[in-house]
Amino acid sequence: MKKTGFLYDERYQLHLTGDYHPEMPDRLPCIYRGIQEAGLLSRLIHIKARRADMKWIEMVHDGRYIMRFEAACLSGKSMFDSPDNQVCYDTYEAALLAVGGILDVVSRVMEGDLDNAFCAVRPPGHHAEVNKAMGFCYFNNVAIAARYLQNQWGIERVGIIDFDVHHGNGTQHIFEQDSTVFYYSIHEHPSFAYPGTGREFEIGNNSGHGFTKNSPVLPGQGDDEYKRLMQKDLIPAFDEFKPEVILVSVGFDAHADDDMSDMKLSTAGFSWIMQRIVELGRQHSKGRIISVLEGGYSLERLPELAANHVEILLNA
Amino acid sequence: MFVSRSMTRKVITVDSETPVIEAQELMADNSIRHLPVVDQNQQLVGIVTDRDIRSALPYNYLKDTCSEEQREQFCALPVKDIMTKDPLAISPTYTIQDALLLIQNSKVGALPVVDDNRRLEGIISVRDLLRAFINVLGIGEPGTLLCIIVKEEVGQLKKIVDAITAENVSFGSVLVARYWEEDKRAVFIYLLTQNVAHVKKKLDSLGFTLLDPMEWYLDQLPTNESSPEKKLTIDPP
C-alpha cells in the first residue's frame, strides 16, 4: 500500500457561489463521504490546508491581478471578471488555502513522506489565466505547483495530465512556450464546449512547440474513444518526455451523468484513465503523482468517482 | 461593414516589367498568393497569382532539368505576359457581403480595391473575410455554443433571449441558420459562460428543442445540386 495523501479542509467550503451554481461547496463533503463510505479514509494521510506564500503565486499570476482578486472579494463583490466567477468575502482566502495546501503536499511528496496524493480543493484552477479569472477558476493551482516543483525542488520536467471535460486554457497558455512542462489535455471538442480552446493543432509555440498536446473528443463519445485517444496521444508523448513528477488536473465532469458536458464516460472509464496515469508515474516519475480537483458536478457520482480515484492511488 | 475596414492596406505590388521569377519570390517571402500589377501612377493594370506563375513555369524547370537556354528565357519573362489584365476590382465602399458574394461567384481568391481612378487602395482576400467571420462567430472568446430548433414564426428569438437574459448570462453571438426542414430555423447561441447546464434545463422547460451537437450544421449542400447559382450583377467600378 502506498502512502497516499488526501488534502481536505473544511475551509474550502467557505467559497460560496450562490444559487444555481454547479461549482458548489457541497461537492467536497460528497467526495469526503464517498471515500469514507468506501472504507478508505483511515488508509489515507490526511493533510490540512495552509496559506500559500505569495511568491509562488506570483510565479504564475500578475501581481496586479492578485490584488484585483483580493480587492473584489474583500470589498463584497459577488462576481469577478465574469458572472461565471461568483465570489464572496472568503473566496480569496479559500483560493490561497487551495494553493498553499497543494504546495505543502508537493513538498511532502518530494521529501518522501508521501508517495502520491489527491488534493480535494476549491476553487478549481485550470481555466485561470495569468491575469484573468475564468470558468470558476482564480489561481491556477496546478500551474503554480509545476513552477514550485521546478524552483523549490529542482525538478526539470513536469508532466501535466488534464482530464477535466473542459480544456485547461489557463494551464496551456502558461506553459505553451515552455519545453520543461508538458501539458496534455483530453476534453470535449472546443466547438461544442467551454472554453473554445484545445484544438488538435494547438501543440505549443516557439521552444514549447511539441510540448502541448490536446485530444478533443466529439460529443456523445465515452470510454472507447477516451481509451483510443489516450493510448494514441498521451502514452507515447509521456514515454518520450519522461516527466519526473506528474500533476493531474482531475475533473469528473465527463461522466455520463454529469450534465455539464455531452460526454458519456462511465465510472469504470475514469478508473481506466487513472490506472494508465499511475502506470506512467511508475515508469517515469518514481510514482510521484499529485492529483488536484478541477470540475465534476454530479453530487450523485462524485462519491464513487473520488473513492475509486484514491483507491487507485493507494494501490499504485 | 465596408471592405475598407477589413482590407489589407499595405499591398505588395509589382510593375508589369517585373520578371515572373521575382514575383514568385515576393509571394513566397510574404506568404501571399496575389500580386496586383500597377503602373507608375499606382493604377491597377493587372493581377498575377501563384497559380498563373505555376502554369507558366516550364515543366522541366520544376524538375530542375531544363536547359540553360530555357532557364534564361523563363527568367526574362515579365509578369505582363502572364497576368490577368484589367482584373475584377471593387471600390472601398463595397460591403463585406458584396465581397463575399462576388468572390464566391467569380471564383477568385482576392479582389483588388481601387478608387474611382482605378488607383490601388488595398486588397481583400478570402483570408481577410475569414478573419472577419471568425470575429463575428466569437471563436476565441471563451463560451459555450448551443443550438435550438425553433418554428419559423415571429417572437421565437425574443423568448430565447429573455430566458437567457434572466439567468444573467451574456451572449457572444447569435446566428440564425436555415435548418433543412420546412418551417424550422436553427438558432445558434454562443453563451459567454461555462455554466450551461442550468440554461439548458430552463430552455427545455420552456418547450424548446435543443439539437444534439452531432446533428449541428451551418451549411449543407442543397438537395437539388443542379440548381443554377444565382447570377450577380454587381458592376466593378
Side-chain angles (χ1 to χ4, degrees):
Chain A
M1 190 176 81
K2 295 288 173 187
K3 289 178 287 182
T4 297
F6 177 42
L7 172 62
Y8 185 87
D9 197 304
E10 280 163 9
R11 287 173 291 173
Y12 293 147
Q13 294 176 57
L14 294 174
H15 165 47
L16 304 177
T17 49
D19 296 338
Y20 305 119
H21 202 290
E23 207 288 282
M24 56 176 79
D26 283 357
R27 295 169 65 228
L28 295 189
C30 264
I31 284 173
Y32 188 89
R33 205 183 58 239
I35 292 172
Q36 189 176 37
E37 284 171 5
L40 299 167
L41 207 50
S42 58
R43 294 166 61 191
L44 296 168
I45 298 164
H46 192 166
I47 316 277
K48 282 277 181 194
R50 57 165 72 176
R51 284 184 114 207
D53 184 334
M54 196 52 68
K55 74 173 180 187
W56 300 116
I57 299 178
E58 284 171 349
M59 293 208 90
V60 165
H61 293 284
D62 188 75
R64 280 161 303 181
Y65 166 77
I66 301 170
M67 285 198 288
R68 231 166 26 85
F69 174 40
E70 182 179 19
C73 299
L74 300 186
S75 66
K77 294 251 180 0
S78 67
M79 65 175 214
F80 179 57
D81 281 355
S82 143
D84 271 5
N85 310 320
Q86 293 289 315
V87 295
C88 66
Y89 185 85
D90 290 315
T91 298
Y92 179 73
E93 182 67 17
L96 274 186
L97 289 168
V99 175
I102 295 163
L103 299 189
D104 183 29
V105 165
V106 168
S107 297
R108 290 172 193 243
V109 169
M110 293 311 296
E111 283 160 355
D113 295 342
L114 297 174
D115 294 310
N116 55 35
F118 171 49
C119 306
V121 297
R122 285 179 71 247
H126 73 153
H127 294 306
E129 300 274 0
V130 169
N131 51 18
K132 192 167 183 250
M134 261 177 70
F136 322 156
C137 301
Y138 308 91
F139 290 147
N140 197 311
N141 300 320
V142 163
I144 298 165
R147 286 290 180 238
Y148 181 69
L149 275 164
Q150 295 185 315
N151 291 284
Q152 179 70 19
W153 293 99
I155 291 295
E156 280 171 21
R157 292 179 314 281
V158 180
I160 300 176
I161 301 170
D162 183 339
F163 61 82
D164 186 277
V165 81
H166 305 102
H167 177 243
N169 56 288
T171 316
Q172 174 169 311
H173 291 149
I174 289 161
F175 299 115
E176 68 189 350
Q177 308 212 26
D178 189 334
S179 62
T180 64
V181 178
F182 196 113
Y183 178 69
Y184 171 79
S185 179
I186 184 163
H187 46 264
E188 184 169 356
H189 192 291
S191 290
F192 305 94
Y194 189 89
T197 50
R199 293 173 200 274
E200 210 167 353
F201 51 79
E202 295 169 20
I203 55 169
N205 305 323
N206 303 328
S207 58
H209 185 93
F211 295 91
T212 293
K213 197 157 186 67
N214 286 296
S215 303
V217 191
L218 290 174
Q221 298 291 330
D223 297 4
D224 290 348
E225 188 64 357
Y226 268 74
K227 288 177 186 177
R228 187 181 74 80
L229 288 170
M230 290 186 78
Q231 268 159 344
K232 175 172 82 73
D233 294 341
L234 167 68
I235 292 169
F238 269 46
D239 282 347
E240 201 188 324
F241 181 70
K242 300 185 173 44
E244 294 162 82
V245 178
I246 295 177
L247 299 174
V248 188
S249 270
V250 185
F252 294 117
D253 40 6
H255 195 281
D257 293 341
D258 195 308
D259 59 11
M260 284 289 281
S261 81
D262 306 299
M263 292 294 107
K264 303 276 179 245
L265 259 187
S266 70
T267 299
F270 276 97
S271 294
W272 183 91
I273 292 173
M274 202 53 206
Q275 272 150 0
R276 296 294 83 69
I277 293 173
V278 159
E279 280 165 20
L280 284 172
R282 210 181 289 141
Q283 276 166 23
H284 304 298
S285 321
K286 301 180 187 156
R288 295 183 296 211
I289 296 171
I290 297 148
S291 72
V292 177
L293 184 66
E294 303 284 358
Y297 308 97
S298 163
L299 299 184
E300 286 73 40
R301 292 297 171 200
L302 278 176
E304 73 196 38
L305 290 166
N308 292 349
H309 184 80
V310 296
E311 188 165 26
I312 293 165
L313 287 173
L314 279 164
N315 297 329
Chain B
M1 276 216 201
F2 294 113
V3 155
S4 55
R5 294 243 174 174
S6 299
M7 68 187 186
T8 302
R9 285 172 183 280
K10 283 188 183 161
V11 192
I12 298 159
T13 59
V14 290
D15 64 51
S16 50
E17 297 301 332
T18 307
V20 166
I21 206 81
E22 215 172 282
Q24 189 190 31
E25 274 173 17
L26 261 179
M27 286 191 208
D29 291 348
N30 293 285
S31 310
I32 52 174
R33 290 183 296 182
H34 301 83
L35 280 177
V37 184
V38 293
D39 64 14
Q40 323 73 306
N41 303 319
Q42 285 297 304
Q43 277 179 320
L44 183 70
V45 295
I47 192 163
V48 63
T49 69
D50 61 341
R51 193 197 287 192
D52 296 334
I53 293 178
R54 261 184 282 127
S55 326
L57 280 170
Y59 174 69
N60 12 358
Y61 190 88
L62 294 170
K63 296 268 285 177
D64 245 6
T65 58
C66 69
S67 68
E68 202 58 36
E69 193 186 346
Q70 274 178 309
R71 193 177 290 272
E72 268 171 34
Q73 220 172 23
F74 182 71
C75 288
L77 189 70
V79 292
K80 69 177 178 199
D81 288 1
I82 64 160
M83 70 184 186
T84 302
K85 293 186 179 69
D86 300 321
L88 188 60
I90 59 174
S91 110
T93 56
Y94 264 47
T95 60
I96 292 279
Q97 290 97 319
D98 295 335
L100 269 177
L101 293 168
L102 199 54
I103 279 181
Q104 192 192 24
N105 276 263
S106 58
K107 300 193 169 66
V108 297
L111 293 165
V113 182
V114 294
D115 68 10
D116 293 344
N117 299 315
R118 246 181 127 69
R119 281 161 62 99
L120 189 71
E121 295 208 341
I123 188 165
I124 188 148
S125 69
V126 168
R127 238 186 266 172
D128 295 316
L129 294 170
L130 279 176
R131 192 189 54 234
F133 275 83
I134 285 172
N135 185 28
V136 165
L137 287 168
I139 311 171
E141 209 180 351
T144 314
L145 190 65
L146 295 179
C147 177
I148 306 160
I149 300 301
V150 298
K151 277 194 224 115
E152 197 183 337
E153 59 184 42
V154 176
Q156 294 291 323
L157 205 53
K158 181 181 187 306
K159 281 186 208 161
I160 295 171
V161 171
D162 284 350
I164 290 165
T165 306
E167 298 304 319
N168 194 25
V169 171
S170 300
F171 289 86
S173 66
V174 178
L175 289 176
V176 182
R178 291 174 59 196
Y179 183 59
W180 262 258
E181 205 177 293
E182 230 173 298
D183 307 328
K184 294 273 176 68
R185 284 284 185 268
V187 179
F188 286 91
I189 48 171
Y190 192 62
L191 301 175
L192 302 183
T193 182
Q194 180 175 12
N195 193 357
V196 282
H198 188 62
V199 171
K200 280 188 188 172
K201 268 184 215 138
K202 178 155 183 183
L203 289 168
D204 189 54
S205 71
L206 290 170
F208 285 107
T209 308
L210 287 162
L211 192 63
D212 180 332
M214 293 305 282
E215 303 292 322
W216 293 356
Y217 58 85
L218 288 175
D219 181 34
Q220 183 164 291
L221 291 172
T223 34
N224 181 7
E225 289 232 38
S226 62
S227 68
E229 276 180 45
K230 209 165 68 182
K231 284 278 172 281
L232 277 179
T233 52
I234 303 174
D235 290 320

